[in-house]
Amino acid sequence: MKKINFILGSNANIPVGGYKIVFQYANELVKLNYDVSISFMYNLEQNKIKYFLKKLLKPIVIKMGSSHKKQITWFDLDSKIKIYFDVSTYNSIPDADFVVATAAPTTHLVSSLPMSKGKKFYFIQNFETWSYGGSVEKLNETFNLGLSNIVISQELRQKVVEGSGIEPHYLPNFYNPDEFYLAKPIENRENVVCLINHTHEVKRTKLGLEIMAEVKKQVPDLKVELFGAYEPVMPLEDYVHFTFKANPDQLREDIYGKSKIYLLPSVLEGWVLTGMEAMACGAAVVSSRIGGIVDYANDGNSILITPDDKAAFVAAIVDLLTHEEKQVALAKKAYEEVQQYRIEKSSDILETILNS
């Protein structure tokens, strides 16, 4: 039985897209007879003084800090998976055949591990310049550490090649058809638009709500379903309903499944999981034309708009809400095409990469 260990940052026990993908792969690899471990790191510092100071203060920080939870309640992980919380020394990381860095801040740690910890991989899920104060140069260093780079989108592939000269492995993301499916007909939905709420500026929730306010002027019966793992970024109008930490059932039945449109005004995404989920539940997607969504969204199954063209977003949404036959046709096309993105297919690709 081959052993694989995923290295993550600290565990705050809140829904995070990147963590969810790792958890889903972990569950699937267990089905494929892998011995799977997940290590949540307490310390990712390379500075030895900071390292020993954090180690000394670890019991106090863990007791006080919300980012060091020792449980995972928002995702159903297979009981066979070994979970290590708040790992602070290399010796606490289990030996394995494969070890996977899952974000930029975990790469230096993985690169410095002894070979007993496994063949080293870097699962690149976004262009994480924010981890280095916006520095592209610092991020590019993580692509050049000798790990086998894996990217989830073609845009990330291009950026990794530009930053390292090394061709990475391509591993497209997927959605879970057991959680997201057509629970309600695409036809005859009310004028509902859903939108994710996020504190990160690249997600542009504020812009999304401003777009909705303009749409409301032309579509008086508009309703907005806002959802997310964070509290709203601004005061909400009475036509906006917010669901905090929506679970898959709520997303399928009450949010995506009721909506005609899923609005995504982001300017940066690694891979938009929520876009696929919305498509699978029968909502048409109106999105910024950015990498991370164009791997599965195109001009035939979605409306893709120049990121800063607010007026175009408003016009596209009003057009779909007031021409139901166009909205239904778009949503049906998206539903058909998203079916190809299944975890079984991606897991087969991952196995090939690991054993290459």
Side-chain angles (χ1 to χ4, degrees), residues 71-114:
Q71 60 178 344
I72 299 167
T73 58
W74 62 273
F75 188 91
D76 187 17
L77 275 170
D78 193 298
S79 60
K80 293 179 182 177
I81 296 171
K82 301 177 182 70
I83 305 175
Y84 301 86
F85 292 105
D86 295 314
V87 176
S88 60
T89 65
Y90 292 173
N91 291 335
S92 300
I93 296 173
D95 289 348
D97 297 291
F98 314 106
V99 59
V100 184
T102 59
T106 66
T107 55
H108 289 279
L109 179 146
V110 169
S111 70
S112 62
L113 291 176

Side-chain angles (χ1 to χ4, degrees), residues 122-291:
Y122 178 13
F123 185 38
I124 303 166
Q125 302 189 71
N126 212 327
F127 199 65
E128 302 173 83
T129 53
W130 55 84
S131 296
Y132 303 99
S135 172
V136 173
E137 291 76 16
K138 287 289 185 182
L139 180 62
N140 284 343
E141 289 177 11
T142 69
F143 305 147
N144 290 278
L145 292 172
L147 313 182
S148 293
N149 296 325
I150 303 171
V151 296
I152 62 172
S153 73
Q154 291 296 342
E155 182 186 55
L156 283 172
R157 185 204 68 79
Q158 181 180 344
K159 289 181 176 179
V160 170
V161 170
E162 289 172 355
S164 67
I166 302 168
E167 184 69 38
H169 301 283
Y170 176 57
L171 178 62
N173 269 353
F174 52 86
Y175 78 98
N176 186 347
D178 295 327
E179 293 179 339
F180 301 102
Y181 52 84
L182 268 185
K184 298 176 182 178
I186 292 175
E187 297 86 352
N188 301 317
R189 296 187 179 188
E190 295 182 4
N191 284 332
V192 179
V193 177
C194 57
L195 169 71
I196 194 169
N197 176 76
H198 204 288
T199 56
H200 205 304
E201 289 186 2
V202 300
K203 303 288 186 178
R204 301 207 298 186
T205 300
K206 184 174 182 290
L207 174 63
L209 291 171
E210 290 173 357
I211 291 168
M212 290 295 91
E214 293 300 312
V215 172
K216 180 71 173 178
K217 295 175 182 177
Q218 301 181 58
V219 185
D221 63 344
L222 173 72
K223 297 177 184 177
V224 176
E225 287 290 343
L226 186 69
F227 65 96
Y230 304 91
E231 294 294 344
V233 297
M234 58 188 289
L236 302 179
E237 300 292 341
D238 57 6
Y239 60 86
V240 181
H241 176 258
F242 176 63
T243 304
F244 183 54
K245 296 183 179 179
N247 60 41
D249 289 346
Q250 290 173 306
L251 287 167
R252 181 185 64 249
E253 302 289 338
D254 302 324
I255 300 174
Y256 301 140
K258 285 185 177 179
S259 299
K260 284 186 175 180
I261 296 169
Y262 174 57
L263 170 61
L264 183 85
S266 298
V267 288
L268 179 66
E269 296 278 354
W271 182 289
V272 189
L273 291 173
T274 52
M276 286 195 298
E277 294 168 358
M279 287 178 169
C281 295
V285 170
V286 177
S287 170
S288 300
R289 188 185 295 273
I290 55 173

